[in-house]
């Protein structure tokens, strides 16, 4: 009897924290699935441009901006998705009390709520750094969707939806300010920072003399498990001995760059993802997701779920990766090879200004690939698609048949480029995949959606 | 009657194919220019990197000319970025139209992808 009462209490308590959307409330409005997902894709495209063109937005800062934009979009519309729950429960430090609640007795236009919320959070993510040109593009996009979506809509519904979207964006922004990365684009090098000086330590590889965001690993992740359970083991011990395992790793990089085929150089450039030449790493991964969603004519419902999962994974992948980078603070192959193996060594593309172990690209794409698999593929990751996302920047068009092999290629590109030791890529992929799996396991969002 | 329907089906297939061929041609023309600009970008990055490296290591004692060269390369960089973005926007417009057709017009996707493979270098990863 007592056990029964206890079980009942536990079950009631559980329902309180993860209550799904109210079907009667959903019935008052058009559901989120009735709207096109193109709107979401357009906002993420704009976000990519902003990230590319705003000073201080290095890969971690970009992933963070995408992170909050993704979860804001979802929170603005999840009330219009059957069996959906707010992310306030699983997300670290968010909590239901921080988020405004929709009035369950009234109707909403969820696409308008999305429009207002996403525009507002993007504005807030760039705040002081938003250029006039970018601000104008954002205004134009929000206005265009606002006009289109308001046609034939009740004026109270319009106002209520827009206000709800803005309130959600405001609340998520407030949540974001305590994660350790607020306004980090103003101080991306987090100075003062004392660089370790031992032989194994990172040294500048370009004119940028300080490494990017050395304290980023202390930031609050969306999921605690993404940092606490996924940290890589120590790298192979540093050594300059020609018979050492470390030397072998560096020698492998040196020989690979020497022997690169034209195809391997193309792969390096394709995954370069630096803001000047192409996009940012996160921008590339989101570009792929946008394209696949559009090809599937995904609704706003499917789109916000996809973007939210990828946002959480990418934000946390960079926090986790950066934690490891500054814990081990490992010298880049270019610095080691020039000093101990081949003074004339040059990389195919520029080495980014932060330590080697583990590879950020491998980590973020490892995480992203697991999200893609959960959204589109079978458990082996099989899915055939052509990545056209880089065509506009003059890069090749690549056809993939499996998300895991796409992630493998991304990781290998860093070896071909001479930027990372093989161990950086292998561990980065492993960590990233663990993060992606965590997101898929912990963030339970409705499946079988279109 | 049967022959007429066959003709109409054939005609409509041909229309889709022709439309895809035209679309890909436009994209391919723009893409050729994008490839050229991309090479400029990568070459420019390499040059800038090399000068910055020399400046940092003080390989040459007279850094005045190197600094001047770096400034001029950085100003070219801005122009190249603008040209890149203009071209990227044009390609995006064409690709958006094609993507819309790929997901709405039956048969277009196959024709488009086939033609893209023919015109552009599409690499298949397994």
């Amino acid at each position: 009897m007592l056990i029964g009462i206890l079980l009942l209490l536990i079950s009631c308590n559980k329902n309180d924290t993860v209550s799904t959307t109210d079907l009667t409330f959903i019935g008052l409005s058009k559901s989120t699935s009735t709207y096109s997902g193109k709107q979401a894709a357009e906002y993420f495209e704009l976000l990519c441009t902003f990230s590319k063109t705003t000073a201080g937005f290095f890969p971690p800062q970009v992933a963070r901006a995408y992170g909050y934009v993704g979860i804001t979009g979802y929170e603005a519309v999840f009330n219009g998705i059957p069996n959906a729950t707010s992310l306030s429960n699983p997300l670290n430090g968010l909590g239901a009390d921080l988020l405004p609640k929709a009035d369950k007795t009234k109707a909403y236009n969820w696409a308008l709520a999305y429009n207002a919320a996403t525009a507002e959070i993007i504005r807030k993510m760039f705040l002081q750094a938003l250029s006039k040109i970018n601000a104008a593009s954002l205004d134009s996009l929000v206005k265009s969707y606002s006009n289109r979506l308001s046609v034939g809509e009740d004026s109270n519904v319009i106002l209520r939806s827009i206000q709800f979207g803005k309130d959600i964006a405001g609340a998520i922004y407030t949540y974001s300010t305590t994660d350790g990365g607020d306004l980090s684009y103003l101080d991306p090098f987090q100075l003062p920072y004392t660089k370790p000086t031992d032989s194994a330590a990172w040294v500048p590889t370009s004119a940028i003399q300080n490494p990017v965001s050395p304290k980023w690993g202390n930031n609050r992740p969306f999921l605690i498990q993404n940092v606490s359970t996924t940290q890589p083991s120590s790298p192979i011990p540093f050594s300059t001995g020609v018979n050492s395992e470390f030397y072998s790793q560096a020698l492998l990089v040196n020989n690979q760059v020497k022997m690169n085929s034209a195809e391997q150089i193309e792969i390096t450039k394709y995954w370069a993802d630096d803001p000047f030449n192409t996009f940012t790493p996160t921008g590339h991964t989101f570009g792929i997701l946008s394209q696949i969603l559009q090809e599937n004519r995904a609704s706003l419902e499917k789109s916000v779920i996809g973007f939210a999962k990828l946002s959480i994974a990418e934000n946390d992948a960079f926090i986790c990766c950066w934690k490891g980078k500054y814990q081990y603070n490992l010298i880049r192959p270019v610095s080691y090879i020039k000093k101990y193996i081949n003074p004339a060594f040059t990389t195919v593309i520029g080495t980014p200004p932060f330590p080697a172990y583990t590879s950020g690209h491998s980590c973020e794409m490892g995480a992203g690939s697991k999200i893609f698999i959960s959204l589109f593929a079978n458990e082996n990751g099989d899915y055939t698609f052509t990545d056209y996302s880089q065509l506009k920047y003059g890069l090749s068009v690549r056809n993939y048949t499996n998300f895991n092999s796409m992630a493998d290629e991304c990781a290998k590109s860093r070896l071909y480029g001479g930027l990372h030791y093989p161990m950086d890529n292998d561990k980065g992929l492993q960590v990233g995949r663990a993060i992606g799996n965590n997101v898929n396991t912990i963030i339970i969002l409705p499946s079988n959606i279109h | 009657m049967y022959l007429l329907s066959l003709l109409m089906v054939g005609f409509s297939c041909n229309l889709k194919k022709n439309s895809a061929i035209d679309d890909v041609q436009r994209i391919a023309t723009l893409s050729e220019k994008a490839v050229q600009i991309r090479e400029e970008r990568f070459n420019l990055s390499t040059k800038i990197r090399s000068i910055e490296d020399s400046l940092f290591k003080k390989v040459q004692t007279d850094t005045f000319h190197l600094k001047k060269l770096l400034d001029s390369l950085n100003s070219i960089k801005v122009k190249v970025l603008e040209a890149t973005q203009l071209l990227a926007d044009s390609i995006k417009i064409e690709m958006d139209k094609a993507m819309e057709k790929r997901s709405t017009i039956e048969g277009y996707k196959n024709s488009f992808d086939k033609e893209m493979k023919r015109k552009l270098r599409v690499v298949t990863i397994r």
Side-chain angles (χ1 to χ4, degrees), chain A residues 38 42 45 49 52 204-207 209 263 266-267 269-270 272 274-278 291 294-297 338 346-351 386 388 391-402 405-406 409, chain B residues 27 31 34-35 37-46 48-49 52-53 56-57 77-78 80-81 84-85 87-89 91-92 95-96 99-100 102-104 109 112-113 116-117 120-126:
Chain A
K38 198 159 187 286
E42 287 196 48
E45 171 107 28
T49 306
K52 265 170 70 74
T205 56
S206 69
Q209 293 301 295
E263 178 58 19
E266 184 62 30
I267 290 172
K269 291 181 177 177
Y270 176 82
D274 73 278
F276 176 55
N277 284 308
T278 53
Q291 190 198 305
Q294 272 183 273
E295 279 178 7
N296 286 295
R297 298 193 69 70
K338 276 184 166 179
T346 52
T347 54
V348 178
I349 53 173
T351 300
T386 306
Y388 288 114
L391 183 72
K392 61 185 175 184
Y393 296 117
L395 273 294
S396 55
V397 172
R398 300 185 75 76
N399 191 36
Y400 297 95
T401 53
N402 185 290
S405 35
M406 178 182 74
E409 186 193 74
Chain B
I27 292 167
S31 168
V35 171
I37 293 191
R38 158 208 126 143
E39 281 313 302
E40 275 183 48
R41 282 199 312 274
F42 278 104
N43 291 338
L44 198 57
S45 295
T46 308
I48 290 174
R49 231 175 344 127
E52 284 177 342
D53 206 31
F56 170 58
K57 287 181 185 157
K77 192 174 169 177
V78 174
V80 171
L81 259 185
T84 301
Q85 200 50 52
L87 200 53
D89 290 344
I91 295 175
K92 183 186 167 344
M95 280 302 288
D96 280 354
M99 286 296 169
E100 183 68 20
R102 269 175 107 237
S103 52
T104 50
K109 185 176 187 282
F112 178 85
D113 288 348
M116 283 293 266
K117 267 188 187 160
L120 299 165
R121 208 170 55 90
V122 177
V123 187
T124 296
I125 316 301
R126 292 186 195 284

Side-chain angles (χ1 to χ4, degrees), chain A residues 48-107:
Chain A
C48 181
T49 306
F50 290 9
S51 311
K52 265 170 70 74
T53 55
T54 310
F57 274 78
F58 286 91
Q61 283 77 12
V62 174
R64 178 178 180 273
Y66 273 83
Y68 287 104
V69 172
I71 62 167
T72 300
Y74 175 83
E75 284 300 321
V77 305
F78 88 90
N79 283 294
I81 304 174
N83 304 315
T85 54
S86 165
L87 292 168
S88 60
N89 186 44
L91 294 193
N92 181 18
L94 183 54
D97 295 344
L98 291 176
L99 291 174
K101 306 281 180 294
D103 183 342
K104 295 198 172 184
T105 63
K106 304 227 163 76

Side-chain angles (χ1 to χ4, degrees), chain A residues 83-150:
Chain A
N83 304 315
T85 54
S86 165
L87 292 168
S88 60
N89 186 44
L91 294 193
N92 181 18
L94 183 54
D97 295 344
L98 291 176
L99 291 174
K101 306 281 180 294
D103 183 342
K104 295 198 172 184
T105 63
K106 304 227 163 76
Y108 287 81
N109 178 317
W110 298 119
L112 272 174
Y114 180 89
N115 196 44
T118 308
E120 190 69 9
I121 193 73
I122 290 178
R123 211 182 303 278
K124 287 177 185 296
M125 282 292 117
F126 290 82
L127 219 62
Q128 306 172 32
L130 192 65
S131 70
K132 278 184 184 165
I133 296 175
N134 287 345
S137 308
L138 184 59
D139 288 343
S140 160
L141 187 62
V142 73
K143 201 172 169 189
S144 140
Y145 270 103
S146 187
N147 290 343
R148 259 183 276 174
L149 293 164
S150 298

Side-chain angles (χ1 to χ4, degrees), chain A residues 165-208:
Chain A
K166 284 184 176 173
D167 291 347
I168 287 285
I172 300 279
Y173 177 67
T174 305
Y175 165 61
S176 81
T177 58
T178 56
D179 74 348
D182 186 33
L183 303 176
S184 56
Y185 49 83
L186 300 176
D187 176 27
F189 300 102
Q190 299 183 311
L191 298 173
Y193 169 70
T194 310
K195 286 179 273 185
T197 52
D198 57 284
S199 322
W202 177 86
V203 287
T205 56
S206 69
I208 300 179

